[in-house]
Structures are given as structure tokens and as C-alpha cells.
């Protein structure tokens, strides 16, 4: 029988993050390192840490790993690797080397599945120009896989989540809905076409999106993963002391995401994200419940959310679409800090 990884996990991919409120609570009590060469630490909840080596070189460090988001081991490996590397791209860095992080139920799955996951990861890493130079494995009941990634960046050219400036428009490079569709797949109500689209989206590296950001000197960005579009936009607003308005009607969706939510297919992680954002968010009167929950949907290997000057937004979108990111769209805007950090409209 063919291995179906998705049946081995309750919460898939970035949906299995610790609820953001709990994470915040725990991180608050940790000691803060004071090394002056830490250029980006944990304070602003940015995508990766950045450490200065000298005046021309800093390292971007990040790790992500999670349980399966799809049935096929090879594709799971590809997606997990693309997702892990994404945090380096979100900051404008160039990923160079990585370590495998792997949990695998040796008694429950054939060794071929193990090998396929690692192969998928290695192939995706190679596509990103990343060499995998080691790793660590633990026998565990649910498989989990990801990478710890190291990238290079110039200390003066770091793109952070605090770089959004009032007047900017927000561009999202990939459609949203992976959490909903994976949940729909587990329930047997997502179509094969949509599952295929979600997998393709998750396997797409944020490499070209990052290249376009660098070409246009974008200063503020993040990638959309477990905290959903709303959660990551809120982190961006807080880090930059600005307010962000998301127009949920402009957000590109994968296939029948809206219909699946209509049918009640809303993964638990979305409610955790709602709890995290609601105190800082104003929900527009005309915002439909379905769009509100789509904003909360935990994404796996989601797109980049970049803050760009209004004058160049059209050019940036054209540049992104030229590289194949055909669903890239303006989804919101940045203003001076208003009463709330985040405004969800439709
Ligand atoms: Co990230
Ligand atoms: Co991450
Ligand atoms: Co070890």
C-alpha cells in the first residue's frame, strides 16, 4: 500500500504551531541576549534572526519543521524545505547551507518514505542554491520534517517586518487557502484539482519574490505562514508602529477555498489566530465571516507580504507576474497608527 502521510497527523504543516498567544506569553519571560552584533533578534517576531559577522556580512538564521501537509512523502519534503528557506527570502537574504531536522516513526513507515522525504527536501534545497550539510533525526510517532537554514545578507540591506511605511501598499505574492484545503482533503471534501493547486503553491520557492523585492529596494516584508494573513500583517503593523488595512476581497484564493469555508471547513488553528489578533483588530461592518476566517487561515509555505511605495506597486506586480507569480496582487495598505493596528475590510 502506498504511504499516505496526511493520515498520520491531526494538525498539518504550519497549522501545528503553538497557539500564538501562548507563545507570546512564554517568550516574554525569556532572557534577552545583549550581543551588539545581533541585528534582528526575537523582539519584533521577525522571520529570522540576523547576526553581523563584519561590516559587509551578516548571517540570516532560521528554522521551521512540521508534520505532513500532503500525502506524498517526496512532495512533503519539497514543501517543508521551501517553507524553511522562505524566512531567509522574506528578509532579502541569500540562503546558502542548511541542516535537516527529521522526526520519523521507524516502526510505522517503510524506510522508503523516510528516504523520499529527505530526497524531496534535498532537491528543493538545491533548487534554492542551498547545500544540506548535516542534520538530526529522532524516532517519533508523527513524522515531522524541516530545515535549519543559514543565509548571507549585507548588514545594511536587511528587509524586516518593521519596514512598512504609511502610504505604502501591501502586495501578496501567493494565493491563500492552504490550511482550509488541507483540512478539506482530510475530510474528503476538497477536490483533487484544488489539492494539486495547494501543493503547487506550497512547493513554490519565495526566491523570485525576494529578488523582485531587492530590485525595487523594498524595506518591509514578511512571509505568510502559521499565523495566517491577519496574524502576520498584525506583527508587521506592530513592529513598524503603523496600522494596516487588508481588503479581503482583493486577496487571491486557491481554488474553492471560499466554498470550503462556507461548508464549515475551518481548521482549529484559524480560531487560535483569531484569538491572537482580535484585541488589536477592527473588523469592518461589511466583512463576511468567511473572509474573516480566511484571513486567519494558517498558511504553509505561503507567499511574501511586502510593503511597497504606491508609485511602484504596478511595476512590482508586473515584475512578480513575469517570474510566474501570476496571482500576485495588492491586498491592502499602510497608514499612520490609528486606534487599532489591523483593519479587516471587504
Ligand atoms: Co516567516
Ligand atoms: Co518561520
Ligand atoms: Co545530532
Amino acid at each position: 500500500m502506498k504511504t499516505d502521510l496526511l493520515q498520520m497527523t491531526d494538525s498539518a504543516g504550519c497549522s501545528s504551531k503553538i497557539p500564538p498567544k501562548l507563545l507570546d506569553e512564554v517568550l516574554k519571560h525569556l532572557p534577552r541576549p545583549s550581543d551588539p552584533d545581533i541585528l534582528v533578534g526575537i523582539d519584533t517576531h521577525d522571520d529570522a534572526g540576523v547576526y553581523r559577522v563584519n561590516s559587509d556580512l551578516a548571517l540570516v538564521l532560521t528554522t521551521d519543521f512540521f508534520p505532513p501537509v500532503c500525502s506524498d512523502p517526496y512532495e512533503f519534503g519539497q514543501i517543508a524545505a521551501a517553507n524553511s528557506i522562505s524566512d531567509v527570502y522574506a528578509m532579502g537574504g541569500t540562503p546558502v547551507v542548511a541542516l535537516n531536522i527529521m522526526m520519523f516513526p521507524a516502526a510505522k513507515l517503510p524506510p522508503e518514505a523516510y528516504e523520499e522525504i529527505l530526497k524531496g527536501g534535498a532537491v528543493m534545497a538545491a533548487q534554492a542554491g542551498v547545500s544540506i550539510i548535516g542534520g538530526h533525526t529522532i524516532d517519533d510517532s508523527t513524522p515531522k520534517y524541516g530545515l535549519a537554514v543559514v543565509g548571507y545578507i549585507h548588514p545594511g540591506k536587511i528587509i524586516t517586518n518593521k519596514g512598512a511605511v504609511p502610504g505604502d501598499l501591501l502586495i501578496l505574492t501567493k494565493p491563500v487557502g492552504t490550511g482550509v484545503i488541507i483540512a478539506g482533503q482530510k475530510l474528503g471534501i476538497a477536490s483533487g484539482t484544488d489539492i494539486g493547486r495547494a501543493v503547487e503553491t506550497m512547493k513554490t520557492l519565495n526566491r523570485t519574490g525576494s529578488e523582485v523585492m531587492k530590485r525595487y529596494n523594498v524595506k518591509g516584508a514578511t512571509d505568510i505562514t502559521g499565523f495566517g494573513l491577519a496574524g502576520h500583517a498584525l506583527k508587521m503593523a506592530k513592529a513598524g508602529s503603523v496600522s494596516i488595512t487588508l481588503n479581503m476581497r482583493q486577496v487571491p484564493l486557491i481554488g474553492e477555498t471560499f466554498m470550503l469555508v462556507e461548508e464549515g471547513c475551518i481548521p482549529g488553528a484559524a480560531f487560535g489566530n483569531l484569538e491572537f489578533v482580535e484585541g488589536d483588530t477592527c473588523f469592518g461592518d461589511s466583512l463576511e465571516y468567511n473572509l474573516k476566517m480566511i484571513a486567519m487561515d494558517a498558511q504553509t509555505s505561503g507567499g511574501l507580504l511586502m510593503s511597497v511605495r504606491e508609485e511602484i506597486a504596478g511595476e512590482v506586480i508586473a515584475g512578480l507576474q513575469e517570474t510566474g507569480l501570476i496571482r500576485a496582487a495588492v491586498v491592502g495598505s499602510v497608514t499612520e497608527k490609528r486606534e487599532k493596528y489591523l483593519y479587516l475590510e471587504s
Side-chain angles (χ1 to χ4, degrees):
M1 206 191 91
K2 202 170 175 298
T3 306
D4 183 352
L5 288 184
L6 199 57
Q7 299 314 323
M8 303 191 68
T9 172
D10 293 328
S11 54
C14 291
S15 301
S16 46
K17 270 193 185 175
I18 300 282
K21 247 189 156 164
L22 173 63
L23 184 62
D24 257 7
E25 199 49 45
V26 171
L27 291 179
K28 248 200 307 221
H29 302 120
L30 290 184
R32 289 285 185 276
S34 59
D35 187 329
D37 286 316
I38 298 172
L39 303 182
V40 178
I42 61 177
D43 294 323
T44 51
H45 294 235
D46 221 315
D47 292 297
V50 182
Y51 190 81
R52 179 171 48 213
V53 177
N54 59 44
S55 58
D56 295 320
L57 177 69
L59 299 178
V60 188
L61 302 116
T62 180
T63 183
D64 266 32
F65 62 98
F66 51 55
V69 285
C70 59
S71 301
D72 181 67
Y74 182 79
E75 285 187 320
F76 170 48
Q78 288 180 296
I79 293 168
N83 179 75
S84 302
I85 298 168
S86 174
D87 282 323
V88 176
Y89 288 137
M91 303 198 73
T94 304
V96 282
V97 288
L99 305 172
N100 279 321
I101 299 168
M102 175 84 149
M103 279 134 241
F104 190 80
K108 285 201 277 182
L109 281 177
E112 296 77 52
Y114 190 166
E115 194 182 321
E116 285 296 301
I117 295 172
L118 291 178
K119 249 191 216 162
V123 165
M124 186 54 73
Q127 204 181 313
V130 172
S131 309
I132 295 179
I133 56 173
H136 192 80
T137 311
I138 283 185
D139 197 332
D140 193 11
S141 58
T142 307
K144 297 172 199 81
Y145 176 61
L147 302 175
V149 188
V150 177
Y152 290 155
I153 198 163
H154 188 283
K157 293 185 177 157
I158 306 166
I159 301 172
T160 67
N161 67 354
K162 64 174 185 189
V165 176
D168 280 0
L169 294 179
L170 291 168
I171 292 174
L172 180 64
T173 63
K174 291 187 192 179
V176 167
T178 64
V180 170
I181 289 171
I182 295 162
Q185 181 180 4
K186 286 173 70 93
L187 292 170
I189 59 171
S191 71
T193 316
D194 280 356
I195 294 166
R197 282 180 179 140
V199 166
E200 273 320 303
T201 303
M202 293 187 284
K203 284 198 309 200
T204 303
L205 284 169
N206 280 326
R207 177 183 202 158
T208 60
S210 185
E211 283 165 4
V212 172
M213 289 205 293
K214 287 191 268 190
R215 199 191 313 149
Y216 285 95
N217 253 314
V218 170
K219 300 279 191 298
T222 190
D223 62 346
I224 306 303
T225 55
F227 302 127
L229 180 58
H232 290 283
L234 174 60
K235 283 170 184 279
M236 206 172 179
K238 280 187 172 174
S241 302
V242 293
S243 287
I244 283 177
T245 301
L246 292 177
N247 192 322
M248 290 307 299
R249 286 216 172 276
Q250 294 171 2
V251 174
L253 303 179
I254 304 169
E256 299 297 323
T257 296
F258 190 91
M259 278 310 298
L260 287 168
V261 173
E262 177 70 26
E263 286 168 37
C265 184
I266 306 174
F271 293 97
N273 286 337
L274 176 59
E275 206 183 308
F276 172 66
V277 304
E278 63 191 351
D280 291 308
T281 303
C282 174
F283 300 98
D285 292 334
S286 60
L287 179 70
E288 285 164 78
Y289 179 76
N290 292 351
L291 288 180
K292 172 174 158 178
M293 294 317 291
I294 286 169
M296 307 303 150
D297 186 39
Q299 300 304 292
T300 297
S301 191
L304 297 173
L305 182 69
M306 55 180 91
S307 186
V308 307
R309 285 182 295 111
E310 194 178 354
E311 313 85 84
I312 61 163
E315 253 180 86
V316 172
I317 297 257
L320 291 167
Q321 290 181 341
E322 243 165 61
T323 74
L325 298 166
I326 52 168
R327 306 285 310 273
V330 172
V331 298
S333 56
V334 183
T335 62
E336 301 280 351
K337 170 74 175 58
R338 298 155 69 190
E339 189 194 335
K340 299 279 186 185
Y341 280 109
L342 186 61
Y343 289 77
L344 288 189
E345 309 280 353
S346 69

